[in-house]
Amino acid sequence: MQKFFNILKKELKDLLTLKMILPFILSIFILIFVGQVMQSEMGKAVEPINIGIIDNDKTPSSLSLINGLKSSNHIINLMEAVDDTQAVRIAKEQMFSIFMIIPEGYELNLKNKKSAEIRLYSIINSLGIASSIHRASIKNILRILNQQVAESFLKEMSPDLKPEVFWEPIKAKEFVVLKNMIQPGSAAFIISYISTQTVIVPVALLMLIIITGTMIASSIAQEKENKTLETILTVPVSRFTIVLAKMLAAVILAIAFAFFFILAMGSYMASFSSTSTNIPADVQTSGSKINLSLDIGGKILLGLSIFLSIVTALALATLLALFAQDVKDAQTTIMPLTIMILIPYFFALIFDPGTMSLGLKIFIFLIPFSHTFFAFKFLLLGQRLPVLLGIIYLFLFSIGLLIIATKIFSSERILTMKFNFGKVMRRV
Amino acid sequence: MPALVIRDLYKNFGVIKAVDGISFDINEGEVFGLIGPNAAGKTTTLRLIATLLEPSTGSIEIFGLNILKDSAKIREMISYLPEEAGAYKNLKGIDYLNFMAGFYASNTKFKKEIVERAVEIAKLGERINDCIRNYSKGMVRKLLVARALMHNPKLVILDEPTSGLDVINSLEVRNLIIDYARTGTTVIVSSHNMLEIEFLSHKVAFIHQGKILESGAPAQLRKKYQAENLEQVFVNSIKK
């Protein structure tokens, strides 16, 4: 055990170099920075904006329209202009990004049951998210005002007809059935909620597996490059201990990196959710009533699946790194591992196992990492059997790879095996 | 009991016969020199003795233990310094010695003792506390020799210990080995530098194309071939 910790300590020291951790720290800072910028930009979207209005009609109907707009949280500024060109100039001077002209005859048209035109000018100074959200919000206000005018028409024509019945003669009361629970609510919200949740898990997992794989491969290749491998192989310590200590060092650092990455990713994702105001309260309540988080059993299964994926990645990277002659070579040699991770990653983001063809399903689930990438989705839907089967498959796969990796490490092949993957790829 | 007994040792890499049926013995306390040109089979022989490679056929016994059956026990008794060995560049010299001592010392007191011995052997002064990446080639080699000798191994295997070093560093490393050999430890050292081996060894063996051409004490071989030095002995033994 003492020898194991001796190697583990050295490995951690060896891996914790600036060269190794700098790209990771940078990517975390970039993620946090982008998250902050997004949050600030989304914050601007809910801030009230200045809207200019030129009322050339000056009738009770135009006043009602202006009052309707005033009831929103935006700041309404009444303007005077002889024509549209002058109005644009004034709006630009006053820094209004939106202004509206209510032409003369607006009320008359409404009274005659004709379309009453208004002119809405958007001055595009920015292509940011906030700017497009503001324009959408004005459109929304106009939609409500249109509805109000239409309801007043309806009242005149058919006083007994309730407007809500007119607008929605067929009313759907939505229910969601999930994990054997029935709750009133919108399936669209539940699916969108699950999608948001299932983005963060594969991204973190992708990072975790790629980092651990790269670390162990670099660690083994470094021993070859620095000509330290032969020495370490002749000291009185079992080869299995060497492999295990190297793997554990990579896992410890990868978990630490993944932890900080998830925090950064959480900050990035929060920039979207913190300003999300368009989810109806009752729907949110139904979402929380249906337990969308994992219970203890689900968490254990997910944890086990992630752990076995990491072990599989480590064993595979170890196996591939045995062919590498130096660190640079190791980056190319572990390419098959990266491909094996990226395929299920993208599939888990886009596809649902239920909609895949049988052939595609077999192909995807032959890749061991797919089981972990899809595990979270399965568990949220209360399906434990596929996750359990995946864990068994991952366990057998990782044990098989570990045995092969340790056998090679324990034999002379670790010194004699040579395979220039980069050269082969270039030839191909 | 002889320190090392090699009998009919063969090692093939595909069609290449790296070691082609060699046999020799080394007695305890002897410094044994394995001499030969490049690609003669010296490194393969030493790697076989160091338990890194497995013989195609034949046997190697170290203090009565078979390298295939008792490799774990053998690794506790030997110390191997490969020709192009390096050290962990991110570690300080002292940390490297502490790390390596961790494999041989069962307690802190013994670990401290062997590290102190290594520091003494390496003769790097204050530079022992520097990061290895800042060491010269000579300094790294001295550190590695110190590492190889620090735990008093029963058999020291040195492959081209002065390879690539300048005259001064070569002399210093050679003196480290001589000083250590005086303690009665068995040493097997390989080199293509025959004068160096003559200077270091009690007994030598010439290896060429995987075969042992001749072996014996340097003086005895010089007399046999009526040569002034081992280089002439080697040339004459090839002609024979």
Side-chain angles (χ1 to χ4, degrees):
Chain A
M1 215 50 185
Q2 189 195 329
K3 289 175 185 177
F4 174 79
F5 285 113
N6 191 30
I7 303 174
L8 181 68
K9 207 171 116 187
K10 193 277 294 175
E11 285 301 320
L12 287 171
K13 262 189 189 176
D14 231 19
L15 288 172
L16 263 177
T17 57
L18 196 62
K19 196 173 133 193
M20 189 71 102
I21 60 174
L22 197 64
F24 184 74
I25 293 172
L26 277 176
S27 63
I28 282 185
F29 273 110
I30 289 169
L31 209 56
I32 292 174
F33 175 73
V34 172
Q36 294 297 320
V37 172
M38 289 291 290
Q39 206 156 359
S40 128
E41 190 69 10
M42 296 292 273
K44 281 181 200 164
V46 290
E47 281 174 14
I49 55 161
N50 277 302
I51 301 173
I53 294 185
I54 299 164
D55 184 5
N56 290 334
D57 194 46
K58 291 190 176 64
T59 56
S61 297
S62 67
L63 201 62
S64 159
L65 175 63
I66 294 166
N67 287 337
L69 284 168
K70 276 181 182 169
S71 66
S72 71
N73 67 337
H74 298 299
I75 303 156
I76 306 298
N77 304 276
L78 292 174
M79 300 160 51
E80 292 291 341
V82 287
D83 56 19
D84 288 21
T85 319
Q86 193 193 12
V88 170
R89 192 174 49 77
I90 294 168
K92 274 187 170 176
E93 279 168 11
Q94 302 284 324
M95 307 284 281
F96 300 154
S97 53
I98 293 169
F99 74 91
M100 185 193 286
I101 298 172
I102 308 171
E104 216 178 318
Y106 169 78
E107 190 180 62
L108 195 66
N109 279 330
L110 287 179
K111 278 186 176 163
N112 293 332
K113 307 283 181 294
K114 285 181 183 170
S115 278
E117 186 192 78
I118 55 163
R119 293 195 293 281
L120 193 63
Y121 282 79
S122 294
I123 301 167
I124 298 174
N125 291 320
S126 145
L127 297 172
I129 295 170
S131 146
S132 59
I133 289 176
H134 287 148
R135 272 173 254 287
S137 117
I138 301 301
K139 290 263 183 196
N140 203 31
I141 295 165
L142 282 174
R143 188 182 57 77
I144 294 165
L145 290 172
N146 256 322
Q147 199 172 325
Q148 281 174 5
V149 174
E151 279 174 17
S152 69
F153 286 168
L154 192 69
K155 226 172 205 173
E156 275 177 38
M157 291 189 299
S158 179
D160 297 335
L161 185 61
K162 285 182 180 171
E164 59 269 27
V165 177
F166 177 78
W167 294 119
E168 210 176 351
I170 302 168
K171 199 166 186 174
K173 193 167 184 191
E174 287 189 73
F175 293 89
V176 177
V177 182
L178 188 70
K179 289 200 272 188
N180 299 326
M181 280 180 75
I182 303 169
Q183 285 294 330
S186 153
F189 166 67
I190 305 288
I191 290 165
S192 115
Y193 180 86
I194 291 177
S195 302
T196 320
Q197 293 298 302
T198 49
V199 161
I200 200 158
V201 173
V203 171
L205 193 61
L206 180 83
M207 287 284 296
L208 196 65
I209 296 176
I210 290 183
I211 294 171
T212 40
T214 311
M215 275 187 175
I216 188 81
S218 301
S219 164
I220 290 168
Q222 228 167 34
E223 295 270 10
K224 284 189 179 180
E225 190 177 300
N226 294 339
K227 312 279 180 199
T228 49
L229 186 65
E230 285 189 41
T231 308
I232 198 82
L233 292 178
T234 56
V235 298
V237 61
S238 79
R239 305 279 170 91
F240 183 66
T241 307
I242 300 173
V243 175
L244 216 62
K246 280 183 178 293
M247 284 185 176
L248 188 63
V251 170
I252 290 171
L253 289 181
I255 287 175
F257 284 177
F259 174 73
F260 288 113
F261 180 78
I262 290 169
L263 284 186
M265 191 74 186
S267 150
Y268 175 73
M269 296 297 283
S271 63
F272 295 99
S273 56
S274 64
T275 50
S276 168
T277 51
N278 52 352
I279 301 165
D282 62 320
V283 177
Q284 283 195 31
T285 315
S286 75
S288 61
K289 271 184 192 165
I290 293 176
N291 189 10
L292 288 177
S293 59
L294 300 181
D295 59 4
I296 293 289
K299 280 176 186 163
I300 291 172
L301 286 179
L302 184 66
L304 204 59
S305 186
I306 292 174
F307 172 74
L308 287 171
S309 259
I310 294 168
V311 174
T312 307
L314 284 172
L316 195 59
T318 306
L319 211 59
L320 293 168
L322 295 178
F323 294 100
Q325 298 308 305
D326 50 43
V327 177
K328 207 174 144 192
D329 207 12
Q331 311 296 332
T332 325
T333 316
I334 63 158
M335 202 192 279
L337 172 69
T338 316
I339 294 169
M340 276 176 83
I341 297 164
L342 284 175
I343 292 173
Y345 166 73
F346 285 117
F347 272 85
L349 283 183
I350 303 163
F351 290 98
D352 185 80
T355 58
M356 286 183 203
S357 68
L358 184 66
L360 185 63
K361 218 186 272 187
I362 291 171
F363 167 71
I364 290 296
F365 285 102
L366 273 176
I367 302 171
F369 307 109
S370 303
H371 297 276
T372 309
F373 280 115
F374 282 101
F376 192 57
K377 271 188 183 175
F378 281 132
L379 290 170
L380 279 180
L381 296 171
Q383 299 166 6
R384 290 197 174 175
L385 185 66
V387 181
L388 266 170
L389 291 174
I391 286 173
I392 294 168
Y393 179 66
L394 267 167
F395 177 75
L396 296 175
F397 203 94
S398 59
I399 290 292
L401 284 176
L402 264 179
I403 291 171
I404 299 169
T406 315
K407 280 219 167 194
I408 294 177
F409 217 84
S410 305
S411 74
E412 65 176 36
R413 269 171 291 181
I414 180 138
L415 296 171
T416 54
M417 265 196 331
K418 274 179 191 160
F419 180 76
N420 195 331
F421 188 76
K423 204 172 167 182
V424 171
M425 287 298 284
R426 280 193 295 275
R427 271 188 199 167
V428 171
Chain B
M1 184 196 293
L4 176 75
V5 178
I6 293 181
R7 289 288 173 268
D8 301 319
L9 186 67
Y10 289 84
K11 181 64 189 174
N12 306 326
F13 296 108
V15 291
I16 299 164
K17 286 181 179 175
V19 175
D20 194 9
I22 63 169
S23 299
F24 63 87
D25 295 357
I26 302 176
N27 294 319
E28 202 169 345
E30 253 178 13
V31 177
F32 186 91
L34 197 59
I35 321 171
N38 293 335
K42 301 186 297 291
T43 298
T44 305
T45 307
L46 296 190
R47 280 176 152 196
L48 284 159
I49 299 167
T51 73
L52 284 171
L53 300 178
E54 291 159 16
S56 299
T57 56
S59 70
I60 302 174
E61 281 189 2
I62 296 169
F63 294 102
L65 299 171
N66 186 284
I67 61 143
L68 288 177
K69 291 178 196 157
D70 310 301
S71 57
K73 280 183 187 168
I74 286 174
R75 283 179 198 141
E76 284 174 11
M77 293 194 279
I78 63 165
S79 187
Y80 173 54
L81 176 65
E83 182 185 355
E84 289 182 333
Y88 302 103
K89 289 175 186 171
N90 297 328
L91 300 184
K92 290 175 183 170
I94 190 75
D95 291 339
Y96 174 70
L97 293 175
N98 266 305
F99 167 62
M100 294 308 287
F103 296 110
Y104 302 98
S106 51
N107 57 60
T108 323
K109 195 184 161 205
F110 183 45
K111 189 176 169 183
K112 202 179 161 202
E113 263 176 44
I114 59 176
V115 171
E116 277 171 7
R117 190 183 308 140
V119 171
E120 211 174 293
I121 296 170
K123 291 178 183 153
L124 289 171
E126 282 303 307
R127 296 294 306 273
I128 199 76
N129 295 312
D130 275 6
C131 196
I132 294 171
R133 69 170 69 254
N134 301 324
Y135 282 14
S136 68
K137 199 173 177 183
M139 288 166 76
V140 172
R141 203 65 182 162
K142 281 187 232 172
L143 183 77
L144 293 173
V145 171
R147 189 280 303 164
L149 307 177
M150 69 179 176
H151 61 284
N152 275 336
K154 288 180 84 177
L155 173 67
V156 181
I157 307 155
L158 305 171
D159 191 4
E160 304 270 4
T162 59
S163 163
L165 297 184
D166 59 34
V167 180
I168 294 168
N169 276 308
S170 293
L171 191 69
E172 281 179 1
V173 168
R174 220 174 284 144
N175 288 336
L176 289 178
I177 299 165
I178 290 173
D179 286 349
Y180 191 78
R182 284 196 188 114
T183 61
T185 304
T186 313
V187 179
I188 176 164
V189 54
S190 86
S191 180
H192 61 271
N193 182 341
M194 303 192 189
L195 298 176
E196 177 178 272
I197 291 288
E198 190 170 1
F199 179 70
L200 285 171
S201 317
H202 299 120
K203 222 162 90 180
V204 297
F206 292 111
I207 186 165
H208 184 55
Q209 292 172 348
K211 291 181 196 296
I212 298 280
L213 299 178
E214 194 63 85
S215 67
Q220 186 193 336
L221 290 172
R222 279 199 309 270
K223 195 177 168 189
K224 184 179 171 184
Y225 285 88
Q226 295 178 329
E228 281 181 14
N229 54 45
L230 286 181
E231 277 180 0
Q232 283 181 3
V233 176
F234 180 70
V235 173
N236 293 342
S237 65
I238 287 176
K239 284 177 189 165
K240 193 179 108 179

